[in-house]
């Protein structure tokens, strides 16, 4: 349901120790959208939720997760290794 998705987004953000701006940067969305998701005013798309779930699952140890670009690069290389 609606609430469930916003809870997933928030718990992912907390797990990554990110503020809303960092999550927005990671997902390529605006800060206001992240706020609306977390307040349940907007529902994140299934693809956004999937990205967060995958990212949380793959959360690397020893990489700078506070830097969304580093983390995106890590995810991209990890996923391309899996699909070859």
């Amino acid at each position: 349901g609606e609430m469930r998705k916003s809870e997933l987004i928030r718990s992912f953000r907390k797990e990554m120790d990110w503020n809303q701006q960092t999550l927005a940067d990671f997902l390529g969305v605006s800060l206001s959208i992240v706020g609306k998701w977390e307040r349940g005013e907007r529902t994140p798309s299934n693809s956004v939720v999937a990205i967060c779930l995958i990212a949380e699952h793959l959360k690397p140890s020893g990489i700078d997760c506070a830097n969304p670009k580093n983390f995106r690069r890590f995810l991209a290389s990890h996923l391309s290794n899996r699909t070859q």
Side-chain angles (χ1 to χ4, degrees), residues 43-74:
T43 305
S45 68
N46 287 336
S47 59
V48 164
V49 173
I51 288 165
C52 290
L53 290 173
I54 291 165
E56 191 165 4
H57 178 68
L58 294 177
K59 184 183 177 186
S61 52
I63 191 168
D64 176 17
C65 287
N67 182 329
K69 284 192 180 69
N70 284 356
F71 190 54
R72 268 207 303 267
R73 207 172 298 124
F74 166 83

mmCIF file of all heavy atoms in Angstrom, residues 43-74:
data_model
loop_
_atom_site.group_PDB
_atom_site.id
_atom_site.type_symbol
_atom_site.label_atom_id
_atom_site.label_comp_id
_atom_site.label_asym_id
_atom_site.label_seq_id
_atom_site.Cartn_x
_atom_site.Cartn_y
_atom_site.Cartn_z
ATOM 1 N N THR A 43 3.429 8.804 -4.000
ATOM 2 C CA THR A 43 3.857 7.412 -3.957
ATOM 3 C C THR A 43 5.021 7.224 -4.917
ATOM 4 O O THR A 43 4.901 7.527 -6.100
ATOM 5 C CB THR A 43 2.704 6.473 -4.358
ATOM 6 O OG1 THR A 43 1.593 6.747 -3.515
ATOM 7 C CG2 THR A 43 3.112 5.016 -4.205
ATOM 8 N N PRO A 44 6.157 6.734 -4.409
ATOM 9 C CA PRO A 44 7.281 6.467 -5.316
ATOM 10 C C PRO A 44 6.926 5.352 -6.291
ATOM 11 O O PRO A 44 6.141 4.461 -5.967
ATOM 12 C CB PRO A 44 8.409 6.038 -4.382
ATOM 13 C CG PRO A 44 7.747 5.616 -3.117
ATOM 14 C CD PRO A 44 6.466 6.374 -3.022
ATOM 15 N N SER A 45 7.501 5.428 -7.482
ATOM 16 C CA SER A 45 7.240 4.389 -8.479
ATOM 17 C C SER A 45 7.852 3.067 -8.025
ATOM 18 O O SER A 45 8.755 3.038 -7.186
ATOM 19 C CB SER A 45 7.843 4.796 -9.822
ATOM 20 O OG SER A 45 9.256 4.775 -9.725
ATOM 21 N N ASN A 46 7.359 1.989 -8.616
ATOM 22 C CA ASN A 46 7.906 0.677 -8.297
ATOM 23 C C ASN A 46 9.399 0.594 -8.626
ATOM 24 O O ASN A 46 10.150 -0.082 -7.930
ATOM 25 C CB ASN A 46 7.153 -0.419 -9.059
ATOM 26 C CG ASN A 46 5.764 -0.635 -8.478
ATOM 27 O OD1 ASN A 46 5.510 -0.333 -7.315
ATOM 28 N ND2 ASN A 46 4.866 -1.138 -9.295
ATOM 29 N N SER A 47 9.816 1.292 -9.691
ATOM 30 C CA SER A 47 11.233 1.219 -10.061
ATOM 31 C C SER A 47 12.104 1.902 -9.010
ATOM 32 O O SER A 47 13.192 1.413 -8.692
ATOM 33 C CB SER A 47 11.477 1.811 -11.453
ATOM 34 O OG SER A 47 11.065 3.152 -11.496
ATOM 35 N N VAL A 48 11.626 3.004 -8.442
ATOM 36 C CA VAL A 48 12.368 3.676 -7.370
ATOM 37 C C VAL A 48 12.485 2.760 -6.151
ATOM 38 O O VAL A 48 13.557 2.599 -5.568
ATOM 39 C CB VAL A 48 11.692 5.010 -6.972
ATOM 40 C CG1 VAL A 48 12.195 5.514 -5.624
ATOM 41 C CG2 VAL A 48 11.928 6.065 -8.050
ATOM 42 N N VAL A 49 11.380 2.131 -5.792
ATOM 43 C CA VAL A 49 11.387 1.212 -4.650
ATOM 44 C C VAL A 49 12.338 0.049 -4.924
ATOM 45 O O VAL A 49 13.136 -0.337 -4.059
ATOM 46 C CB VAL A 49 9.959 0.698 -4.351
ATOM 47 C CG1 VAL A 49 9.989 -0.380 -3.284
ATOM 48 C CG2 VAL A 49 9.069 1.858 -3.908
ATOM 49 N N ALA A 50 12.307 -0.473 -6.153
ATOM 50 C CA ALA A 50 13.188 -1.582 -6.515
ATOM 51 C C ALA A 50 14.658 -1.177 -6.410
ATOM 52 O O ALA A 50 15.476 -1.929 -5.878
ATOM 53 C CB ALA A 50 12.874 -2.068 -7.931
ATOM 54 N N ILE A 51 14.985 0.019 -6.912
ATOM 55 C CA ILE A 51 16.362 0.508 -6.822
ATOM 56 C C ILE A 51 16.804 0.561 -5.367
ATOM 57 O O ILE A 51 17.907 0.124 -5.023
ATOM 58 C CB ILE A 51 16.495 1.904 -7.475
ATOM 59 C CG1 ILE A 51 16.402 1.788 -9.005
ATOM 60 C CG2 ILE A 51 17.810 2.574 -7.071
ATOM 61 C CD1 ILE A 51 16.170 3.106 -9.707
ATOM 62 N N CYS A 52 15.944 1.063 -4.498
ATOM 63 C CA CYS A 52 16.286 1.179 -3.076
ATOM 64 C C CYS A 52 16.476 -0.194 -2.446
ATOM 65 O O CYS A 52 17.427 -0.409 -1.680
ATOM 66 C CB CYS A 52 15.227 1.975 -2.329
ATOM 67 S SG CYS A 52 15.238 3.728 -2.777
ATOM 68 N N LEU A 53 15.596 -1.128 -2.770
ATOM 69 C CA LEU A 53 15.707 -2.475 -2.202
ATOM 70 C C LEU A 53 16.980 -3.172 -2.676
ATOM 71 O O LEU A 53 17.686 -3.808 -1.887
ATOM 72 C CB LEU A 53 14.481 -3.320 -2.581
ATOM 73 C CG LEU A 53 13.171 -2.926 -1.905
ATOM 74 C CD1 LEU A 53 12.013 -3.724 -2.484
ATOM 75 C CD2 LEU A 53 13.250 -3.116 -0.395
ATOM 76 N N ILE A 54 17.286 -3.035 -3.967
ATOM 77 C CA ILE A 54 18.501 -3.643 -4.509
ATOM 78 C C ILE A 54 19.730 -3.002 -3.875
ATOM 79 O O ILE A 54 20.668 -3.687 -3.458
ATOM 80 C CB ILE A 54 18.545 -3.512 -6.050
ATOM 81 C CG1 ILE A 54 17.460 -4.387 -6.691
ATOM 82 C CG2 ILE A 54 19.928 -3.874 -6.589
ATOM 83 C CD1 ILE A 54 17.186 -4.059 -8.142
ATOM 84 N N ALA A 55 19.711 -1.671 -3.797
ATOM 85 C CA ALA A 55 20.855 -0.950 -3.235
ATOM 86 C C ALA A 55 21.080 -1.343 -1.784
ATOM 87 O O ALA A 55 22.213 -1.541 -1.350
ATOM 88 C CB ALA A 55 20.627 0.556 -3.357
ATOM 89 N N GLU A 56 19.993 -1.480 -1.041
ATOM 90 C CA GLU A 56 20.115 -1.868 0.361
ATOM 91 C C GLU A 56 20.695 -3.281 0.471
ATOM 92 O O GLU A 56 21.571 -3.548 1.297
ATOM 93 C CB GLU A 56 18.751 -1.787 1.050
ATOM 94 C CG GLU A 56 18.829 -1.918 2.551
ATOM 95 C CD GLU A 56 17.537 -1.479 3.244
ATOM 96 O OE1 GLU A 56 16.556 -1.139 2.548
ATOM 97 O OE2 GLU A 56 17.537 -1.486 4.481
ATOM 98 N N HIS A 57 20.232 -4.154 -0.401
ATOM 99 C CA HIS A 57 20.702 -5.544 -0.402
ATOM 100 C C HIS A 57 22.195 -5.622 -0.731
ATOM 101 O O HIS A 57 22.922 -6.430 -0.175
ATOM 102 C CB HIS A 57 19.901 -6.356 -1.418
ATOM 103 C CG HIS A 57 20.337 -7.780 -1.520
ATOM 104 N ND1 HIS A 57 20.153 -8.689 -0.499
ATOM 105 C CD2 HIS A 57 20.974 -8.445 -2.512
ATOM 106 C CE1 HIS A 57 20.655 -9.862 -0.866
ATOM 107 N NE2 HIS A 57 21.155 -9.736 -2.074
ATOM 108 N N LEU A 58 22.631 -4.769 -1.673
ATOM 109 C CA LEU A 58 24.017 -4.809 -2.137
ATOM 110 C C LEU A 58 24.929 -3.884 -1.342
ATOM 111 O O LEU A 58 26.104 -3.774 -1.667
ATOM 112 C CB LEU A 58 24.092 -4.407 -3.615
ATOM 113 C CG LEU A 58 23.432 -5.343 -4.619
ATOM 114 C CD1 LEU A 58 23.540 -4.748 -6.017
ATOM 115 C CD2 LEU A 58 24.066 -6.719 -4.579
ATOM 116 N N LYS A 59 24.356 -3.206 -0.336
ATOM 117 C CA LYS A 59 25.133 -2.186 0.385
ATOM 118 C C LYS A 59 26.541 -2.701 0.691
ATOM 119 O O LYS A 59 26.708 -3.664 1.429
ATOM 120 C CB LYS A 59 24.446 -1.815 1.685
ATOM 121 C CG LYS A 59 25.181 -0.694 2.410
ATOM 122 C CD LYS A 59 24.556 -0.363 3.744
ATOM 123 C CE LYS A 59 25.387 0.697 4.441
ATOM 124 N NZ LYS A 59 24.911 0.955 5.801
ATOM 125 N N PRO A 60 27.536 -2.084 0.095
ATOM 126 C CA PRO A 60 28.892 -2.595 0.247
ATOM 127 C C PRO A 60 29.507 -2.170 1.572
ATOM 128 O O PRO A 60 29.185 -1.120 2.105
ATOM 129 C CB PRO A 60 29.639 -1.933 -0.910
ATOM 130 C CG PRO A 60 28.907 -0.651 -1.124
ATOM 131 C CD PRO A 60 27.469 -0.917 -0.774
ATOM 132 N N SER A 61 30.390 -3.001 2.075
ATOM 133 C CA SER A 61 31.170 -2.569 3.223
ATOM 134 C C SER A 61 32.431 -1.909 2.683
ATOM 135 O O SER A 61 32.962 -2.329 1.655
ATOM 136 C CB SER A 61 31.526 -3.759 4.096
ATOM 137 O OG SER A 61 32.120 -4.760 3.302
ATOM 138 N N GLY A 62 32.861 -0.881 3.341
ATOM 139 C CA GLY A 62 34.120 -0.259 2.978
ATOM 140 C C GLY A 62 34.056 0.667 1.786
ATOM 141 O O GLY A 62 35.090 1.121 1.310
ATOM 142 N N ILE A 63 32.863 0.959 1.277
ATOM 143 C CA ILE A 63 32.773 1.983 0.226
ATOM 144 C C ILE A 63 32.084 3.194 0.831
ATOM 145 O O ILE A 63 31.301 3.067 1.773
ATOM 146 C CB ILE A 63 32.015 1.489 -1.028
ATOM 147 C CG1 ILE A 63 32.183 2.485 -2.183
ATOM 148 C CG2 ILE A 63 30.548 1.238 -0.744
ATOM 149 C CD1 ILE A 63 31.719 1.970 -3.522
ATOM 150 N N ASP A 64 32.399 4.348 0.302
ATOM 151 C CA ASP A 64 31.843 5.586 0.842
ATOM 152 C C ASP A 64 30.400 5.724 0.388
ATOM 153 O O ASP A 64 30.122 6.292 -0.661
ATOM 154 C CB ASP A 64 32.686 6.770 0.358
ATOM 155 C CG ASP A 64 32.116 8.106 0.796
ATOM 156 O OD1 ASP A 64 31.270 8.105 1.719
ATOM 157 O OD2 ASP A 64 32.505 9.126 0.232
ATOM 158 N N CYS A 65 29.482 5.192 1.165
ATOM 159 C CA CYS A 65 28.062 5.245 0.803
ATOM 160 C C CYS A 65 27.511 6.660 0.877
ATOM 161 O O CYS A 65 26.462 6.939 0.325
ATOM 162 C CB CYS A 65 27.245 4.339 1.722
ATOM 163 S SG CYS A 65 27.493 2.605 1.363
ATOM 164 N N ALA A 66 28.207 7.536 1.600
ATOM 165 C CA ALA A 66 27.718 8.906 1.711
ATOM 166 C C ALA A 66 27.841 9.652 0.388
ATOM 167 O O ALA A 66 27.267 10.708 0.212
ATOM 168 C CB ALA A 66 28.477 9.649 2.803
ATOM 169 N N ASN A 67 28.594 9.087 -0.536
ATOM 170 C CA ASN A 67 28.749 9.710 -1.847
ATOM 171 C C ASN A 67 27.917 8.934 -2.864
ATOM 172 O O ASN A 67 28.302 7.841 -3.283
ATOM 173 C CB ASN A 67 30.233 9.693 -2.246
ATOM 174 C CG ASN A 67 30.484 10.368 -3.585
ATOM 175 O OD1 ASN A 67 29.637 10.344 -4.469
ATOM 176 N ND2 ASN A 67 31.644 10.955 -3.726
ATOM 177 N N PRO A 68 26.764 9.486 -3.235
ATOM 178 C CA PRO A 68 25.868 8.747 -4.146
ATOM 179 C C PRO A 68 26.524 8.361 -5.459
ATOM 180 O O PRO A 68 26.219 7.318 -6.017
ATOM 181 C CB PRO A 68 24.710 9.722 -4.382
ATOM 182 C CG PRO A 68 24.759 10.668 -3.252
ATOM 183 C CD PRO A 68 26.199 10.769 -2.836
ATOM 184 N N LYS A 69 27.442 9.197 -5.975
ATOM 185 C CA LYS A 69 28.078 8.870 -7.261
ATOM 186 C C LYS A 69 28.942 7.624 -7.126
ATOM 187 O O LYS A 69 28.906 6.744 -7.971
ATOM 188 C CB LYS A 69 28.916 10.054 -7.761
ATOM 189 C CG LYS A 69 28.093 11.189 -8.337
ATOM 190 C CD LYS A 69 29.000 12.181 -9.088
ATOM 191 C CE LYS A 69 28.176 13.323 -9.673
ATOM 192 N NZ LYS A 69 27.618 14.208 -8.630
ATOM 193 N N ASN A 70 29.729 7.559 -6.054
ATOM 194 C CA ASN A 70 30.531 6.354 -5.799
ATOM 195 C C ASN A 70 29.635 5.141 -5.696
ATOM 196 O O ASN A 70 29.932 4.073 -6.237
ATOM 197 C CB ASN A 70 31.295 6.475 -4.473
ATOM 198 C CG ASN A 70 32.495 7.381 -4.571
ATOM 199 O OD1 ASN A 70 32.824 7.871 -5.643
ATOM 200 N ND2 ASN A 70 33.133 7.614 -3.445
ATOM 201 N N PHE A 71 28.537 5.307 -4.964
ATOM 202 C CA PHE A 71 27.651 4.170 -4.715
ATOM 203 C C PHE A 71 26.970 3.725 -6.002
ATOM 204 O O PHE A 71 26.846 2.537 -6.272
ATOM 205 C CB PHE A 71 26.633 4.530 -3.635
ATOM 206 C CG PHE A 71 25.848 3.341 -3.158
ATOM 207 C CD1 PHE A 71 26.487 2.212 -2.699
ATOM 208 C CD2 PHE A 71 24.472 3.358 -3.182
ATOM 209 C CE1 PHE A 71 25.772 1.100 -2.268
ATOM 210 C CE2 PHE A 71 23.748 2.252 -2.746
ATOM 211 C CZ PHE A 71 24.399 1.135 -2.294
ATOM 212 N N ARG A 72 26.553 4.697 -6.831
ATOM 213 C CA ARG A 72 25.946 4.351 -8.130
ATOM 214 C C ARG A 72 26.942 3.600 -8.999
ATOM 215 O O ARG A 72 26.584 2.636 -9.679
ATOM 216 C CB ARG A 72 25.462 5.614 -8.854
ATOM 217 C CG ARG A 72 24.011 5.944 -8.560
ATOM 218 C CD ARG A 72 23.378 6.721 -9.689
ATOM 219 N NE ARG A 72 24.103 7.955 -9.971
ATOM 220 C CZ ARG A 72 23.809 9.140 -9.437
ATOM 221 N NH1 ARG A 72 22.828 9.267 -8.598
ATOM 222 N NH2 ARG A 72 24.505 10.204 -9.756
ATOM 223 N N ARG A 73 28.206 4.063 -8.987
ATOM 224 C CA ARG A 73 29.246 3.404 -9.773
ATOM 225 C C ARG A 73 29.430 1.959 -9.290
ATOM 226 O O ARG A 73 29.546 1.035 -10.083
ATOM 227 C CB ARG A 73 30.562 4.184 -9.643
ATOM 228 C CG ARG A 73 31.485 4.031 -10.831
ATOM 229 C CD ARG A 73 32.683 4.982 -10.743
ATOM 230 N NE ARG A 73 32.299 6.379 -10.750
ATOM 231 C CZ ARG A 73 32.619 7.277 -9.805
ATOM 232 N NH1 ARG A 73 33.349 6.921 -8.766
ATOM 233 N NH2 ARG A 73 32.221 8.526 -9.904
ATOM 234 N N PHE A 74 29.455 1.796 -7.973
ATOM 235 C CA PHE A 74 29.569 0.451 -7.398
ATOM 236 C C PHE A 74 28.415 -0.434 -7.860
ATOM 237 O O PHE A 74 28.617 -1.572 -8.291
ATOM 238 C CB PHE A 74 29.593 0.522 -5.867
ATOM 239 C CG PHE A 74 29.369 -0.819 -5.219
ATOM 240 C CD1 PHE A 74 30.413 -1.708 -5.052
ATOM 241 C CD2 PHE A 74 28.096 -1.199 -4.808
ATOM 242 C CE1 PHE A 74 30.202 -2.959 -4.475
ATOM 243 C CE2 PHE A 74 27.880 -2.441 -4.232
ATOM 244 C CZ PHE A 74 28.937 -3.324 -4.070
#
